[in-house]
Amino acid sequence: MMLWDRLLIALLAALSPKWAGASDSSPSLTQSAAAPAFTYTRTSFLLNGKPYIIIGGQMDPQRIPPAYWRDRLIKARAMGLNTIFSYVYWNLLEPTQGQWTSSEESNDIAKFFRIAQDVGLNVVLRPGPYICGEREWGGFPAWLARVPGMKVRSSGAAFMDAAESYLKRLAGDLRDLQVTRGGPLLMVQVENEYGSYGEDHNYTQGLRDILKENFEVPLYTNDGGVDWTLRGGEVPGVLAEIDGDPRSGFAARDRYITDPTELGPLLDGEYYTFAPDYWGPGNKHNTAVGNPSQIQQFVSDLDYVLGANNSISLYMFHGGTNFGFSNGAIWKNYTAVFITSYDYGAPLDESGRTTDLYFKFRDTIQKYVPEDSIPEPPANVPLLEISNITLSPTISLFDTLGPKINSVAPLTMEELDQAYGLVFYEHTVNTTLQGTLQPGDRARDRVIVYVNGTKKGVIDSTYSQPAPVSLTLQPGDTLQLLVENLGRVDYWSRESGTFVALEDQFKGIVGNVTIGSRVVSGWNVYSLPLDEPPAATQAKPSAIAPGSPPTFFRGTFQIESGNTTDPAALDTFLEVPDGVKGNVWINGFNLGRYWVVGPQQSLYLPGTILKPGVENEIVILELEPNGETLTALGVTERTWANYPDPDYP
């Protein structure tokens, strides 16, 4: 080891005295200093004293059915990966302030890490508290918006107190899984790409100190490989790393990061295998299929990194699914909403099947690891085909409203103590009103406008210029506004937009509703979180035609398990070919949103949700019904396509 490297390690140890232990059960400072389980020099990571090149891939356990965690991790190891990078979603771990849910199977991050170790993988933790990840509000829980004085991603007391509580609880679950205690956890990331967002170094240094108090392993930051993002995100005493293009990013890291306590081996912490998809006409699915030049670029970049003994993490190795209402959005001076699928064009597709890209990466990695050190990947299990299921209408959404709240002005979703789903606003007209409808301060998400139960138009913020809805109302008419939370914005850059969308996350209607120049006062407000679909009912809505209110449809179907006990043999892709927009529940589990605008035209249905040999229930909330029945079916090859009418709202 060079003298410079020894001096650097000594300096890092001086700046980071709590790496070695935060509790009585921690290894002693003397033991950790003498033989750190995982550390680094200026040029190399060291695992148990030996050089360790991170060949990593991103896979987030909370986006994958827990029953499939082992399968996905085995396939990661069989592609040649030795490390898994994982975001953790605060909003799922603490959906209500003070309610910690890591005991729920899908939130048991510790179990995921133990399985990773079982199959020969190490892990890197990316806990945020902000993680972006195309998730609802970048992983922040919705209740943060109701905390007085709250400004997310800042050093303000309100946010730091909440973040510290979250990080301490998470550390309590994972502390014994650190490499210092024989576990697989090598490093922890401080925040996430903060330099793209701000320059509050008191905030990032505060997070550094919280993490040092609760973890013993090295910390690192990850920022885009340009000067202003690196300088905004750097934290003294924390290893600075980059994402994106490794050639320009590595050069930028060594050019712009000059603090020796932030320097060390090169890691491309997010090398993008493709990209996520947005809802809307013209948005194509990002995939390696039919894109040989892009695949060749991937191979070239991987050769460039590994050939120089540097480290990398593929984002994503396996994307998974934004089940339910968990997708986020990006603010582009309109709301660019991510689809339910997080397939990402990744080497392991959304259903966990290996792809041609998987084997391209595997072949490349094999050149840089000992011969025969990579196990053979399991064969892909064929998907299940499910013939047409006919669903019948059961009840109108407007007949499931529950308790109402009377308010002079509309209430936001947060004021209703609601995180996700829909809000319904109803006003009885007492004077003639005429003009263009304005739902609050601006169009937030998607507003379906009804008069006396008949649809009159849609105001949709996924368009930079939402279509106007003009109304003429008479005394006695009922004005109804159904507002859907399409997904809170998870990313806003200092260089993108006219307002800081990440901080302004109130959903529903904010401010007054106006028609023409008149303020509309006096509302009945109904909270519709849609945590579960309504129970089966004999009630049947009136005749359904275009313009009818949203309607729940229900059907049942049976499947046979054949001769296998592997739930993957029951995996399929569910299509609703005559649906327009809505959500699908299978046996009470919310698969997510479908929308005719595409590009997604089928929903991944994991076999873990299905029950062989008995009736399975499918419930669909169709927001824009246009017929007396719906049809659903399971297909073995998914469909990606756009709705042909680019003006569809």
Side-chain angles (χ1 to χ4, degrees):
M1 185 181 298
M2 296 175 62
L3 175 61
W4 194 97
D5 289 331
R6 291 198 295 270
L7 291 173
L8 175 59
I9 292 174
L11 181 56
L12 287 171
L15 288 169
S16 313
K18 293 176 182 175
W19 277 6
S23 69
D24 292 342
S25 60
S26 305
S28 71
L29 286 170
T30 302
Q31 290 172 328
S32 293
F38 186 76
T39 186
Y40 54 88
T41 69
R42 177 64 178 83
T43 57
S44 299
F45 291 108
L46 301 173
L47 179 60
N48 297 319
K50 297 180 180 179
Y52 183 80
I53 296 173
I54 295 173
I55 307 175
Q58 182 87 15
M59 183 162 51
D60 306 336
Q62 290 160 292
R63 240 191 289 238
I64 305 165
Y68 290 158
W69 285 350
R70 183 173 293 273
D71 171 79
R72 306 311 193 244
L73 290 164
I74 287 172
K75 289 171 179 172
R77 184 69 195 92
M79 198 180 82
L81 303 186
N82 59 22
T83 308
I84 291 296
F85 288 60
S86 292
Y87 282 143
V88 175
Y89 310 147
W90 181 5
N91 66 323
L92 297 185
L93 280 166
E94 194 177 8
T96 301
Q97 189 170 14
Q99 176 191 344
W100 192 251
T101 62
S102 64
S103 60
E104 295 181 6
E105 186 180 24
S106 60
N107 291 333
D108 192 348
I109 312 302
K111 180 178 179 180
F112 180 81
F113 285 2
R114 286 193 294 269
I115 296 172
Q117 186 174 29
D118 284 348
V119 304
L121 292 162
N122 292 308
V123 295
V124 170
L125 174 65
R126 310 181 75 192
Y130 165 82
I131 56 92
C132 186
E134 291 72 59
R135 293 292 289 189
E136 231 268 349
W137 206 6
F140 289 147
W143 55 260
L144 283 178
R146 302 193 301 272
V147 176
M150 178 58 63
K151 182 181 179 182
V152 298
R153 301 187 84 181
S154 81
S155 57
F159 184 71
M160 290 302 292
D161 288 347
E164 181 173 17
S165 174
Y166 155 66
L167 291 170
K168 283 183 174 180
R169 294 292 297 269
L170 181 62
D173 289 343
L174 303 179
R175 186 171 288 116
D176 288 340
L177 292 171
Q178 296 174 98
V179 66
T180 51
R181 306 184 183 202
L185 178 55
L186 303 180
M187 290 197 299
V188 178
Q189 183 177 311
V190 179
E191 235 267 355
N192 185 60
E193 296 177 323
Y194 181 74
S196 299
Y197 176 80
E199 296 180 332
D200 183 351
H201 293 290
N202 289 331
Y203 164 56
T204 51
Q205 291 177 32
L207 290 180
R208 173 201 63 191
D209 294 343
I210 292 168
L211 292 170
K212 283 183 178 179
E213 289 171 0
N214 290 278
F215 289 96
E216 303 156 2
V217 294
L219 307 180
Y220 78 105
T221 56
N222 206 83
D223 286 285
V226 294
D227 59 343
W228 62 277
T229 58
L230 285 164
R231 287 169 176 162
E234 66 177 335
V235 183
V238 175
L239 177 63
E241 299 292 7
I242 63 98
D243 57 32
D245 177 8
R247 290 173 169 83
S248 61
F250 286 167
R253 199 289 298 263
D254 283 345
R255 186 164 60 248
Y256 297 122
I257 299 298
T258 57
D259 183 339
T261 71
E262 299 169 16
L263 290 172
L266 292 168
L267 163 67
D268 190 337
E270 286 188 15
Y271 178 78
Y272 305 110
T273 53
F274 267 99
D277 301 318
Y278 305 93
W279 290 118
N283 291 319
K284 296 181 179 180
H285 172 52
N286 289 289
T287 176
V289 176
N291 200 344
S293 63
Q294 184 61 67
I295 293 175
Q296 184 55 45
Q297 185 64 56
F298 291 159
V299 170
S300 173
D301 288 345
L302 195 54
D303 276 326
Y304 172 79
V305 174
L306 298 182
N309 293 322
N310 293 319
S311 293
I312 194 168
S313 176
L314 305 175
Y315 191 100
M316 300 288 293
F317 162 71
H318 172 53
T321 309
N322 296 315
F323 291 116
F325 300 116
S326 62
N327 65 281
I330 284 183
W331 178 249
K332 296 185 174 183
N333 289 322
Y334 64 92
T335 308
V337 179
F338 294 107
I339 63 174
T340 296
S341 170
Y342 201 63
D343 179 85
Y344 213 92
L348 206 64
D349 74 9
E350 184 182 4
S351 71
R353 271 68 180 178
T354 56
T355 66
D356 289 345
L357 183 59
Y358 176 98
F359 290 100
K360 287 288 186 182
F361 279 129
R362 187 175 188 269
D363 290 344
T364 306
I365 292 169
Q366 281 183 317
K367 296 186 295 184
Y368 300 98
V369 298
E371 188 176 357
D372 299 326
S373 65
I374 301 177
E376 287 296 317
N380 287 335
V381 177
L383 281 85
L384 179 70
E385 184 172 345
I386 302 175
S387 57
N388 287 4
I389 309 162
T390 301
L391 293 87
S392 301
T394 60
I395 193 168
S396 166
L397 177 69
F398 293 177
D399 292 330
T400 68
L401 296 178
K404 67 182 177 184
I405 297 175
N406 301 116
S407 179
V408 174
L411 300 174
T412 66
M413 189 174 281
E414 291 73 21
E415 289 172 319
L416 297 169
D417 198 24
Q418 179 185 341
Y420 316 112
L422 306 155
V423 182
F424 185 64
Y425 303 89
E426 192 170 59
H427 168 78
T428 301
V429 178
N430 54 25
T431 187
T432 301
L433 296 170
Q434 185 172 4
T436 300
L437 174 71
Q438 176 64 32
D441 61 347
R442 58 185 172 84
R444 290 172 182 256
D445 297 308
R446 194 164 192 268
V447 184
I448 309 180
V449 181
Y450 303 86
V451 175
N452 303 323
T454 300
K455 177 185 167 187
K456 296 298 182 183
V458 176
I459 302 172
D460 189 340
S461 72
T462 64
Y463 292 81
S464 57
Q465 297 293 328
V469 176
S470 296
L471 300 173
T472 298
L473 303 175
Q474 302 298 329
D477 284 342
T478 301
L479 172 64
Q480 299 155 315
L481 307 176
L482 182 66
V483 184
E484 178 184 6
N485 172 4
L486 289 173
R488 290 179 176 83
V489 168
D490 67 85
Y491 179 79
W492 179 90
S493 169
R494 286 187 271 167
E495 295 192 334
S496 65
T498 56
F499 72 104
V500 184
L502 195 73
E503 297 174 13
D504 183 5
Q505 289 298 297
F506 293 99
K507 292 299 182 181
I509 294 176
V510 179
N512 288 314
V513 173
T514 59
I515 297 177
S517 60
R518 299 283 296 274
V519 174
V520 181
S521 298
W523 294 89
N524 294 329
V525 184
Y526 301 86
S527 175
L528 296 168
L530 299 178
D531 294 328
E532 57 187 11
T537 175
Q538 298 301 313
K540 185 176 180 180
S542 56
I544 297 172
S548 292
T551 301
F552 287 97
F553 291 77
R554 181 180 181 273
T556 60
F557 62 99
Q558 288 197 5
I559 55 171
E560 301 300 328
S561 62
N563 297 320
T564 180
T565 58
D566 184 357
L570 306 181
D571 285 1
T572 190
F573 289 103
L574 189 83
E575 295 189 349
V576 187
D578 45 358
V580 177
K581 189 180 195 307
N583 274 72
V584 178
W585 288 263
I586 302 291
N587 296 327
F589 181 85
N590 190 343
L591 284 188
R593 313 175 205 254
Y594 65 89
W595 197 354
V596 70
V597 297
Q600 180 173 354
Q601 297 291 347
S602 49
L603 290 168
Y604 173 50
L605 171 52
T608 55
I609 297 169
L610 297 176
K611 304 173 183 177
V614 299
E615 278 196 345
N616 292 267
E617 181 186 60
I618 176 171
V619 175
I620 294 178
L621 171 60
E622 171 55 61
L623 293 173
E624 300 184 41
N626 54 18
E628 292 292 331
T629 61
L630 280 179
T631 300
L633 66 156
V635 297
T636 59
E637 292 188 12
R638 73 178 319 157
T639 304
W640 301 98
N642 280 106
Y643 190 65
D645 180 5
D647 296 323
Y648 174 74

